[in-house]
């Protein structure tokens, strides 16, 4: 069985569903993790300061996690909300609306979903706009008759 999991950010799977991923892999399922919003300048504990360097560090961390879990890592390279919306800090969790650009992103992400036996969009804590975008993607994807 082929399972694809869409995560907003590189750390979301490690924090939200690592035990489920481990169980799926140990049952022999082929699991792919698609990390959607990989381009970021947010790394508060890193010495790196440039967008390209921080993005690279985050992808390396995500790949290491996926490799350790036996999961195929696929970055999607969409821009993180902090850059897309010019937010600083907690601003990404305070704006409760999904604007025109967010709705365009939902449509673009939906167009890139590849078939799998099971497609997952784990919910994340914190009301981050990128998590809400993926929730909308998953909800819309499920309404089209796909297993999500």
């Amino acid at each position: 069985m082929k399972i694809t999991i869409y995560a907003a950010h590189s750390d979301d799977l490690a924090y939200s569903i690592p035990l489920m991923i481990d169980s799926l892999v140990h049952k022999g399922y082929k699991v792919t993790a698609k990390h959607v919003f990989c381009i970021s300048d947010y790394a508060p504990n890193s010495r790196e300061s440039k967008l390209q360097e921080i993005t690279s560090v985050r992808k390396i961390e995500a790949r290491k996690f996926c490799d350790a879990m036996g999961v195929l890592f696929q970055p999607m390279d969409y821009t993180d909300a902090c850059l897309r919306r010019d937010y600083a800090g907690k601003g990404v969790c305070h704006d409760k609306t999904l604007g025109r650009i967010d709705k365009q992103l939902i449509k673009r992400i939906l167009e890139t979903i590849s078939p799998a036996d099971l497609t997952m969009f784990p919910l994340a804590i914190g009301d981050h706009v990128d998590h809400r975008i993926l929730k909308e993607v998953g909800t819309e994807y499920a309404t089209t008759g796909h297993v999500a």
Side-chain angles (χ1 to χ4, degrees):
M1 178 186 273
K2 181 180 172 185
I3 299 171
T4 303
I5 305 171
Y6 287 81
H9 307 105
S10 56
D11 59 351
D12 290 338
L13 296 182
Y15 288 125
S16 63
I17 57 169
L19 296 176
M20 184 175 66
I21 292 171
D22 186 60
S23 176
L24 293 169
V25 170
H26 278 87
K27 289 179 181 179
Y29 298 126
K30 182 183 177 200
V31 179
T32 300
K34 295 205 176 204
H35 294 223
V36 180
F37 301 102
C38 289
I39 299 173
S40 179
D41 66 350
Y42 182 73
N45 297 317
S46 176
R47 287 178 277 203
E48 307 299 342
S49 61
K50 295 181 181 168
L51 175 71
Q52 186 174 1
E53 294 167 344
I54 291 170
T55 297
S56 177
V57 165
R58 291 185 66 161
K59 284 184 181 180
I60 290 168
E61 291 172 348
R63 185 175 305 281
K64 284 181 180 179
F65 170 77
C66 288
D67 288 349
M69 297 295 290
V71 171
L72 177 64
F73 169 69
Q74 291 184 345
M76 292 183 68
D77 292 334
Y78 287 94
T79 305
D80 186 67
C82 291
L83 296 169
R84 208 173 56 245
R85 289 180 159 210
D86 195 30
Y87 282 139
K90 296 180 180 179
V92 295
C93 297
H94 292 299
D95 186 351
K96 303 297 183 201
T97 61
L98 291 179
R100 181 182 54 81
I101 292 173
D102 299 322
K103 291 175 183 172
Q104 290 172 349
L105 267 174
I106 291 166
K107 183 178 178 186
R108 284 177 39 211
I109 295 167
L110 276 165
E111 291 170 351
T112 66
I113 295 176
S114 40
D117 297 311
L118 177 64
T119 305
M120 299 172 59
F121 302 87
L123 298 178
I125 299 170
D127 207 25
H128 190 290
V129 65
D130 289 344
H131 300 174
R132 287 187 283 120
I133 287 171
L134 272 192
K135 178 183 177 190
E136 291 297 319
V137 170
T139 301
E140 189 162 330
Y141 187 69
T143 63
T144 62
H146 293 91
V147 179

